[in-house]
Amino acid sequence: MVFDIVLFPNCDIHVALHGTPPLNLRVATRELAADKMSYTLADVTASCAFDFFAPYNPVGNRLQPFVTIDPATGLVTPQAVGINLVQVRFGNHYLIARLQVHDTMQGWWFGNASITTAKDATVAHAQPSIYALFSDDPTGTDLVGDITGHGYVTLTSSDNTLFTVNGDGRLQGLKEGNGILSGTLLGINKTLPVKVVDYGKPRPTLEYVQIPNAEHPETMHNILFIAEGFRNTDDDRKKFNKIVTEVVAEMFSKPRHAPYNLLEGSFNIWKAYEPSEQHTVTCGFQVNDEEVPNLFGKGFPIPYDGAVSENTNLYTPELLIHVVGLPLRNETRTTAQLKTLWGSQSLKRFDAASNSWVDNFDPNKVDDDLVSVWKRQKSLGLLEARDTFFGLYLGARYGEKSSRISTPVLPPGADNAADAQLAPFIARMYEWFKTEASRSLTPDPRRHPPELHGDNQTNYGNSILKYITSLRVPFAPHPNVGQEWMPDPAGNVFKKSRGLVALITNDGLTGGTNFNNLTITANTLAKFSSVGFEYINAANERRMRRTPPADIDEDIDDIINTVAHEFGHSFNLGDEYEDFPADQPDAYDGYDNLAALSTIKLDNNFLTNRKFNVDKIKWFDLLRMQVSDTLIKDSETEGGEIKVTIDRRFIGRWVEAKKQNLEAYLRKMDITPVGRQLPLKVGDDHYLVRLTIGNINQANGTILLGGLELPPEPFPVFPAGSLVFIPKRNSAGELMFVVEKKVLDKLKSTNLPLNRDTDTSKINKEADDPIDITDFKPPCKSYKLVGIYEGGGTYTGMVYRPSGLCKMRKSSDAGTGDGEFCHVCKYLIVNRVDPGLLAILDGKHYPGAKKGG
């Protein structure tokens, strides 16, 4: 089965009429290998179609191709100077690329000071960045272009027994050591230092931080902190150790980070240090090198995602770029002229509610200041890549696109608004202008090859997981604890420590991401938003290099907030914040704390009535508990009843429950291999209700459970770790759920979310307060009320979350809120780590209504 398609060299391509050798594009399908440790690439270029659009041409002439592409060979033949967006189609798979034709290439240089690659018997890993200077063409093409992987530069190794170079310009390490890469083009010779590392060799370098159970790590949830971008110096080692110590101390003690404080004894905590050649990581994004006086400085990521003014009706520069594209290098038109232009370009979006294409550009969302900043969303140069051990980078390059699957959008017959195919075609092409958020911190595709690293897949064979699984305890017999963080490649087994890995990254720019399909998290040390840089120009070079301080001050509170938030993803909790003012009815809702309207819809008119079915909301099934414990061994059958065994220290509360004739419930911990818990399973093999508490052996910690609700023998076995509990009931004897009854009744009467502010046309980064409910008083902090609120998964509309505010929505306590998880997210974390603590969680943290409510 085809997983995706990959375009080589990438999706941002540069050719020239003069000075560049021939360029052959290559399109390959990528499929997961049988062992799931790698991907198989197969060339399908000859079966692809290539469609062209010239976004900067005058309306009426935007279908002009500036190149020809021969599908049989992939040969690109430039015809004239200009810029095309190119749709690459293979069946229902497609990619959008940009192709710039320049007049002349004038010079080139390596975009690295040094590079680290992996020792690997079969796959070439690191790809050095190569940048070129082009002629100053009147069309506004870029002066500096990224020609990495284009094959223009002849690359050779100083020692072919140390590393070799493949056809895509990637370096295959054959043994550990240091060497030199040489490059030649236009009579210019350059060299680059290369280091080869064996990421998979056994490493007895794990260090203890806090280990309640060192002998049986497989029974624990293990957390691992790893250094990225810290150098081989005493100061950097001390800094990393200090950060880990403080993060652990505060994360597991402060109520603000609950429920981690309740679960401290359930986690082994480890650390590992591997030095990097350089500190700070690569910036995938470009940064602006011009300022707007009194408004906008230099060094901000492109696209800039912040607001330009306090007028919330305006686009951000990022959203404007999504709608109208990036500015040309020589853009001088006025705001009025640009508004007129953009209004004439058939820039549309599909509106699902009306089932029609509507205007996507709103001139009322643009002013002079915004246009001034938009014009600065460009740069003369490209930042030099950094050389860190694991090869993480911030944001992404525009050339790094993931393919999508969709019904093909074919070119119109003419660049005429009367052609019904024009608007869909432009919308498809303008997808190129969307890229990863600058705060995204993930593996750089130039350090992690396509054979081993697919976009946010589990990627069992990549260098980072190879390193992690090589980690061993430094004391004999050196147990391989690293395997605890390796997900099951067969995809059948859930592993407790899956995803509890934090790469503490020595960079001051904002960054934090859970990547590799919820198996690894990464975060930076602070929240700076701009990059210091310098130009180092000589002859036909325009080198642009970061100038980070030698020592980066860490913001411990921010690191803790980010780690706690990112680990939330490892517990299968999705982001609840909003980045885009749009409906997303088909959002992925595999996260336990998010729901898409397309999944919970009341009927097929959901695009217009926006109503949901309350019975489909998965977290509404979570019961509150007054007694809860976990089984310490598998359940047994004894005398026609089920015998369960708990820690005998806690048996007293069951003795008291029996005296009160309370009923017990029994549930398996059904967690999928990727950590998903909801929706709860309800069959007899998974869940038994209203069981009578029989004989209790206090010395052995055993309880017999029986009654009319038992299924016929043979009884299902509830394994160790299953939950036995007594649910809470109200004064009428009704079960109590995390959603209060009056709230549930209100939702059933409206089938609409609780948000007091219902405007989804604007991004809300803060709390949502709930509407008033008759005869009901919410918690003192009303945003804590559990129910269902619209806005999450980065979109403002048609994606829903459990509470008005949560650490998954805003991880800090700045401004509104206290930086806590909402009660549902707390519940889900406890339910996975130690469900026996759910009753304690309820008693300490449930956000109940005010007295008298």
Side-chain angles (χ1 to χ4, degrees), residues 293-330:
N294 303 316
L295 183 65
F296 189 67
K298 296 181 182 180
F300 286 95
I302 298 172
Y304 178 64
D305 64 357
V308 171
S309 73
E310 295 182 358
N311 184 352
T312 58
N313 291 318
L314 297 179
Y315 293 116
T316 64
E318 178 184 33
L319 291 176
L320 181 60
I321 287 169
H322 291 177
V323 175
V324 306
L326 288 163
L328 283 171
R329 175 171 50 83
N330 54 4

Side-chain angles (χ1 to χ4, degrees), residues 53-215:
F53 186 74
Y56 301 104
N57 276 21
V59 172
N61 194 35
R62 290 177 294 171
L63 300 182
Q64 177 187 2
F66 293 103
V67 302
T68 61
I69 299 176
D70 181 359
T73 62
L75 179 65
V76 179
T77 303
Q79 304 291 313
V81 172
I83 301 172
N84 276 137
L85 297 176
V86 184
Q87 179 179 218
V88 181
R89 290 186 280 119
F90 173 74
N92 286 340
H93 291 264
Y94 75 93
L95 277 164
I96 306 299
R98 181 179 69 173
L99 200 156
Q100 296 191 59
V101 180
H102 308 267
D103 184 81
T104 308
M105 180 189 287
Q106 298 178 336
W108 73 275
W109 59 96
F110 284 119
N112 312 69
S114 64
I115 194 166
T116 299
T117 195
K119 176 180 178 290
D120 193 311
T122 57
V123 177
H125 283 244
Q127 186 179 43
S129 292
I130 303 176
Y131 303 148
L133 180 68
F134 292 98
S135 52
D136 186 356
D137 301 325
T139 57
T141 52
D142 292 340
L143 286 178
V144 173
D146 188 337
I147 60 169
T148 302
H150 285 49
Y152 296 157
V153 179
T154 301
L155 300 173
T156 55
S157 169
S158 61
D159 180 356
N160 284 330
T161 68
L162 178 67
F163 73 91
T164 58
V165 186
N166 77 358
D168 294 316
R170 290 188 178 269
L171 312 182
Q172 182 178 358
L174 302 177
K175 63 182 180 183
E176 288 197 300
N178 296 288
I180 298 294
L181 176 71
S182 297
T184 303
L185 175 66
L186 300 175
I188 302 169
N189 300 305
K190 303 285 182 182
T191 59
L192 180 69
V194 175
K195 182 177 183 177
V196 180
V197 170
D198 184 354
Y199 287 86
K201 69 181 180 183
R203 296 174 186 270
T205 54
L206 265 182
E207 297 181 61
Y208 297 148
V209 179
Q210 184 172 297
I211 313 294
N213 191 344
E215 293 184 359

Side-chain angles (χ1 to χ4, degrees), residues 42 106 128 207 223 268 456 501 571 640 746 814:
Q106 298 178 336
E207 297 181 61
I223 289 177
N268 283 337
N456 204 29
V501 177
F571 291 111
K746 178 68 175 180

Side-chain angles (χ1 to χ4, degrees), residues 280-559:
T280 73
V281 296
T282 297
C283 293
F285 50 77
Q286 286 183 261
V287 298
N288 67 295
D289 58 359
E290 294 180 81
E291 65 177 344
V292 181
N294 303 316
L295 183 65
F296 189 67
K298 296 181 182 180
F300 286 95
I302 298 172
Y304 178 64
D305 64 357
V308 171
S309 73
E310 295 182 358
N311 184 352
T312 58
N313 291 318
L314 297 179
Y315 293 116
T316 64
E318 178 184 33
L319 291 176
L320 181 60
I321 287 169
H322 291 177
V323 175
V324 306
L326 288 163
L328 283 171
R329 175 171 50 83
N330 54 4
E331 181 58 71
T332 58
R333 284 169 286 196
T334 66
T335 301
Q337 290 170 327
L338 288 168
K339 284 185 178 184
T340 299
L341 171 67
W342 294 332
S344 72
Q345 290 183 318
S346 300
L347 304 176
K348 310 245 180 214
R349 61 177 175 83
F350 185 73
D351 179 62
S354 64
N355 195 35
S356 63
W357 288 87
V358 299
D359 287 336
N360 196 29
F361 172 67
D362 184 349
N364 296 315
K365 294 184 177 182
V366 176
D367 67 5
D368 289 338
D369 287 344
L370 175 61
V371 169
S372 294
V373 174
W374 173 79
K375 288 179 179 179
R376 270 66 172 186
Q377 300 297 290
K378 55 185 173 55
S379 176
L380 171 63
L382 298 161
L383 286 170
E384 193 171 75
R386 305 290 289 180
D387 189 5
T388 59
F389 186 78
F390 292 108
L392 296 189
Y393 79 154
L394 285 160
R397 303 171 185 91
Y398 270 106
E400 288 152 0
K401 305 293 184 187
S402 298
S403 69
R404 299 184 181 184
I405 301 176
S406 174
T407 302
V409 174
L410 303 179
D415 182 12
N416 189 316
D419 191 317
Q421 197 58 32
L422 180 65
F425 186 66
I426 293 174
R428 170 63 56 89
M429 288 296 194
Y430 271 50
E431 289 178 14
W432 187 88
F433 293 109
K434 297 180 181 180
T435 189
E436 285 288 333
S438 61
R439 63 176 175 270
S440 174
L441 182 57
T442 57
D444 186 346
R446 293 192 179 168
R447 289 285 303 276
H448 299 269
E451 295 92 338
L452 296 175
H453 196 88
D455 180 41
N456 204 29
Q457 301 303 300
T458 307
N459 301 311
Y460 299 95
N462 75 2
S463 296
I464 304 175
L465 275 181
K466 280 185 179 178
Y467 171 86
I468 290 169
T469 56
S470 76
L471 291 171
R472 299 171 182 267
V473 176
F475 310 112
H478 306 293
N480 183 201
V481 180
Q483 290 293 333
E484 296 303 317
W485 292 288
M486 179 67 167
D488 173 31
N492 299 321
V493 178
F494 169 70
K495 298 180 73 171
K496 290 184 175 183
S497 300
R498 184 189 197 278
L500 298 179
V501 177
L503 286 164
I504 304 298
T505 305
N506 190 15
D507 201 310
L509 291 173
T510 298
T513 309
N514 193 306
F515 62 86
N516 215 58
N517 193 20
L518 308 181
T519 64
I520 302 169
T521 74
N523 65 277
T524 56
L525 304 188
K527 298 189 74 170
F528 298 116
S529 54
S530 63
V531 177
F533 65 90
E534 63 181 351
Y535 279 112
I536 305 171
N537 298 332
N540 287 327
E541 295 183 9
R542 298 294 183 272
R543 292 182 181 269
M544 192 178 191
R545 181 175 295 167
R546 287 189 68 175
T547 55
D551 183 44
I552 297 168
D553 292 332
E554 68 271 18
D555 183 336
I556 288 294
D557 281 343
D558 181 62
I559 295 171

Side-chain angles (χ1 to χ4, degrees), residues 11 66 78 172 240 417 534 690 801:
C11 292
F66 293 103
Q172 182 178 358
F240 174 73
E534 63 181 351
R690 303 195 66 180
R801 63 188 196 276

